[in-house]
Amino acid sequence: MSAQEVLGEDPEIVLADQRYKFIGDVLQTSLVRGKKKWTSSDMLDKVFLDKALGIPVFLAFMWILFTFAIETSGVYMTIVEEFFGWLGGFAGAIGNELLASLIADGLIGGLGGVLVFVPPIFFTFLGISILEDSGYLARAAFVMDRLMYKLGLHGRSFIPMLLGFGCNVPGIMACRSIEGENDRLVTILVNPLMSCGARLPVYVLVAGAFWSEAMVGGVVWSMYLLGMVLAIVVAYVLRKTVLKGEQAPFIMELPIYKTPTFQGSILHMWERGVIFLKKAGTYLLGASIFVWFLITFPLGAPIEQSYAGMIGHFVEPILRPLGFDWRIGAALVFGLLAKEVVVEALGIIFAVESEAAIATALAASFTPVQGLALMAFVLIYVPCLAVVAAVKAETNSWKWTLFGPIYQTVLAGAVSFLIIVIGGAMGI
Amino acid sequence: MGFSKGSGQIVALYSATLGLLYVLMGLLEIVGGFGVEIPLLAGVAGAFYVVGDSFSGFVLVVIGAVYLGGLGAVSGGNREGLSYVSVGALMSTALLALYIANILSNGLGLVLGFEDWLEWTLMDDLRPGLLLWVLAIPAVLIARKKDWRE
């Protein structure tokens, strides 16, 4: 017999009830109450937890966060870019043409093309750390719970989904804290729709190619928003169809508000950001060499007839309705290794090194609405292999592991196509 | 001195003015983002450096709504209404911090002599949120007034 059957309701609720009853009893016998002071926490909660204002305020803070991360990092990105440009100059002195190409295009161009996005990634994590350390993010989870509960998603899903902003792998692993099997499965399946840090370089690159500097932050923010909206919609559909069942209640203790410390926020930013740096120094470096190999060989063949070109041409028919050619097709396939590799691959395919040069090449080849559709496609389509492996490990089911990438690719095509149609009609 | 109905009415008048200004600027930014200009308000838009960014317009409207949200309570002398002024001030300040970070970053680009920043001037980064914060200073002071909460 389970604890729930014995108690007649969720043990977690009973435990919380008893704990607060005990606290209440102790306070009643030991505390003499004065006139209640209206504390800073009360003041802030009055608005942050407000039914009507809570969600718009959350969205406003998210916009401030992403605009800060992207617009402020422009200069620092240029510093990194200048450094890799300077480093690339040395490759020209190498006599062996193939080795020079490997170092200039594969190592420096490929890796530099990704490391240039370290500033916006670190600034994003800094912003998230400040919101988290202040105690606001817990309120955001509480506010979102009302909406998510109505739509069939468990309130506790919000924390794994927030973690998904950093990386979907820990986000999926954090779903272990969700008790109901169907609630947990739904959250795992929609977590890859949250924009992880790896997608940020693609957004910054593509948005920067088509929109003015003042608009880039907003366009990137809209991609994060699109991911959240899609996650909620997909969760709703799954809960109403294949994963029906009762929802478990959501209990959450809100931490007190604190002024974030400089040291604490920097430390938390570093803890999250260093994962990206480690990935860049190992996995992305290997991916960069792999992409360079597929683009360079067969030796002497034009890039369109290289192995990468062949892969791109193979997937091109599927992407043609969206107006994407073999170059985007190849970059998207390489994105399965890690989403940042899309940027690396575009740099190598367009045979340019700097982020600005890739942006110029994209702007010359595609329209702004195609750019928007490309960002949406990168957001939604098959997640990277590490995420697929995490889904397999957490669900222990090939059925659900395969279901994710399939529904995501179909959804990516549908959403991107809608963007092309609606954006085209609006004359974007 | 505690929070009274008299002081509440003054705060309400101020919050209403500030909230409406934020909402107005936000709406001008939003419609500007869609390429729509309102000739009657072109002077106001110019004076507040409206650039036609729909996203920041949304944020300005939200901040305005927060200021306006507590009008009923605060005008009746209810200290809970001060929450809205305080959170409005917090959000106004967060927006100010964002724009100052941008200005400092772009200034660094100019100092380092990077090509994209050679023609940058302070005027390029002036936004309604910066100027409106000056008008929000009393709100910041109200938020810090601890004796009104007791």
Side-chain angles (χ1 to χ4, degrees):
Chain A
M1 205 177 221
S2 71
Q4 181 146 0
E5 284 166 333
V6 174
L7 296 167
E9 58 181 318
D10 193 314
E12 215 172 318
I13 294 179
V14 177
L15 195 67
D17 268 352
Q18 290 300 317
R19 183 162 8 126
Y20 284 108
K21 188 174 174 295
F22 177 74
I23 293 168
D25 291 344
V26 170
L27 287 178
Q28 209 162 20
T29 54
S30 61
L31 183 76
V32 180
R33 287 181 191 275
K35 191 183 171 192
K36 190 179 180 294
K37 196 178 173 189
W38 184 242
T39 64
S40 299
S41 267
D42 295 330
M43 288 183 83
L44 296 173
D45 278 345
K46 175 87 182 157
V47 182
F48 288 151
L49 304 181
D50 186 276
K51 274 185 184 172
L53 288 170
I55 292 178
V57 166
F58 168 63
L59 293 177
F61 274 124
M62 293 305 275
W63 178 86
I64 291 173
L65 190 159
F66 290 118
T67 304
F68 161 71
I70 288 149
E71 286 189 18
T72 308
S73 60
V75 169
Y76 308 102
M77 288 171 74
T78 305
I79 292 173
V80 178
E81 208 166 79
E82 293 275 322
F83 171 73
F84 277 97
W86 171 79
L87 211 59
F90 290 105
I94 299 170
N96 185 314
E97 205 177 308
L98 194 63
L99 186 65
S101 167
L102 170 65
I103 293 172
D105 303 328
L107 293 178
I108 298 172
L111 202 58
V114 170
L115 285 179
V116 79
F117 294 100
V118 164
I121 287 172
F122 271 67
F123 282 178
T124 303
F125 291 148
L126 177 64
I128 290 176
S129 298
I130 291 171
L131 290 181
E132 195 175 10
D133 294 352
S134 69
Y136 174 72
L137 270 195
R139 269 77 185 177
F142 184 83
V143 165
M144 290 300 285
D145 174 56
R146 287 190 201 125
L147 175 71
M148 298 207 310
Y149 193 83
K150 277 182 198 160
L151 295 171
L153 207 58
H154 192 269
R156 195 168 275 171
S157 306
F158 189 70
I159 300 297
M161 286 167 82
L162 267 182
L163 285 174
F165 281 146
C167 174
N168 296 132
V169 173
I172 287 165
M173 288 166 72
C175 293
R176 290 174 191 176
S177 66
I178 300 168
E179 281 174 19
E181 185 54 27
N182 284 359
D183 284 330
R184 198 174 70 86
L185 210 48
V186 168
T187 313
I188 288 173
L189 291 171
V190 299
N191 199 286
L193 292 171
M194 305 308 288
S195 282
C196 62
R199 282 139 167 154
L200 191 61
V202 185
Y203 299 158
V204 176
L205 173 75
V206 180
F210 296 104
W211 282 276
S212 68
E213 199 189 318
M215 293 287 283
V216 171
V219 173
V220 173
W221 172 72
S222 69
M223 283 298 123
Y224 278 78
L225 205 61
L226 176 67
M228 287 196 283
V229 170
L230 286 175
I232 290 171
V233 170
V234 171
Y236 178 76
V237 173
L238 289 174
R239 285 303 255 141
K240 293 286 172 194
T241 54
V242 288
L243 291 169
K244 285 180 186 169
E246 268 193 30
Q247 281 175 266
F250 177 46
I251 303 163
M252 186 178 188
E253 285 185 46
L254 297 176
I256 54 163
Y257 287 102
K258 280 187 294 189
T259 306
T261 62
F262 177 76
Q263 199 185 4
S265 298
I266 294 289
L267 193 69
H268 290 144
M269 173 192 79
W270 177 254
E271 281 169 354
R272 290 183 169 115
V274 79
I275 296 170
F276 175 77
L277 287 179
K278 280 180 185 165
K279 195 173 161 191
T282 53
Y283 193 68
L284 294 177
L285 185 65
S288 186
I289 295 169
F290 179 62
V291 172
W292 171 84
F293 173 81
L294 291 178
I295 285 168
T296 310
F297 290 89
L299 211 55
I303 199 164
E304 204 170 338
Q305 287 162 22
S306 66
Y307 294 132
M310 289 175 204
I311 294 170
H313 282 295
F314 180 72
V315 295
E316 192 182 7
I318 307 165
L319 298 169
R320 203 173 290 145
L322 305 174
F324 301 155
D325 59 16
W326 68 271
R327 294 171 297 184
I328 298 290
L332 289 173
V333 171
F334 294 137
L336 300 181
L337 298 171
K339 298 294 177 194
E340 302 95 327
V341 181
V342 171
V343 175
E344 282 182 348
L346 285 173
I348 301 174
I349 291 169
F350 282 114
V352 287
E353 277 177 19
S354 70
E355 181 243 343
I358 307 172
T360 307
L362 279 174
S365 308
F366 302 100
T367 63
V369 74
Q370 283 176 317
L372 210 55
L374 177 60
M375 284 191 285
F377 199 91
V378 171
L379 159 70
I380 309 164
Y381 87 121
V382 188
C384 69
L385 293 177
V387 171
V388 177
V391 173
K392 171 71 180 76
E394 294 301 312
T395 60
N396 200 22
S397 153
W398 277 112
K399 183 181 89 175
W400 292 117
T401 306
L402 292 174
F403 174 78
I406 292 170
Y407 98 77
Q408 282 184 248
T409 307
V410 173
L411 188 65
V415 171
S416 303
F417 188 70
L418 267 178
I419 290 173
I420 298 274
V421 171
I422 297 170
M426 288 170 72
I428 297 173
Chain B
M1 202 174 85
F3 186 60
S4 66
K5 194 172 179 181
S7 45
Q9 281 172 346
I10 296 167
V11 173
L13 185 68
Y14 164 71
S15 294
T17 312
L18 192 59
L20 287 174
L21 260 176
Y22 265 97
V23 171
L24 176 69
M25 290 307 142
L27 292 176
L28 285 174
E29 284 280 18
I30 291 171
V31 296
F34 290 101
V36 180
E37 267 188 44
I38 302 169
L40 197 66
L41 296 171
V44 182
F48 277 87
Y49 299 94
V50 170
V51 291
D53 175 1
S54 303
F55 299 109
S56 68
F58 162 76
V59 175
L60 291 175
V61 169
V62 172
I63 297 175
V66 170
Y67 280 119
L68 296 173
L71 285 185
V74 88
S75 61
N78 183 347
R79 64 183 178 177
E80 290 189 18
L82 291 173
S83 307
Y84 294 85
V85 188
S86 301
V87 172
L90 179 74
M91 294 182 77
S92 299
T93 307
L95 203 56
L96 171 86
L98 164 74
Y99 290 133
I100 288 182
N102 274 350
I103 288 171
L104 291 176
S105 164
N106 287 330
L108 179 67
L110 181 71
V111 170
L112 293 175
F114 290 143
E115 199 183 334
D116 288 349
W117 281 268
L118 288 179
E119 288 175 19
W120 176 83
T121 67
L122 187 62
M123 301 295 281
D124 296 335
D125 278 351
L126 290 183
R127 296 285 182 277
L130 264 175
L131 303 182
L132 286 170
W133 185 84
V134 178
L135 302 177
I137 291 174
V140 177
L141 297 175
I142 290 168
R144 295 176 65 86
K145 212 167 160 50
K146 284 184 180 166
D147 57 340
W148 272 11
R149 290 181 222 162
E150 286 160 4

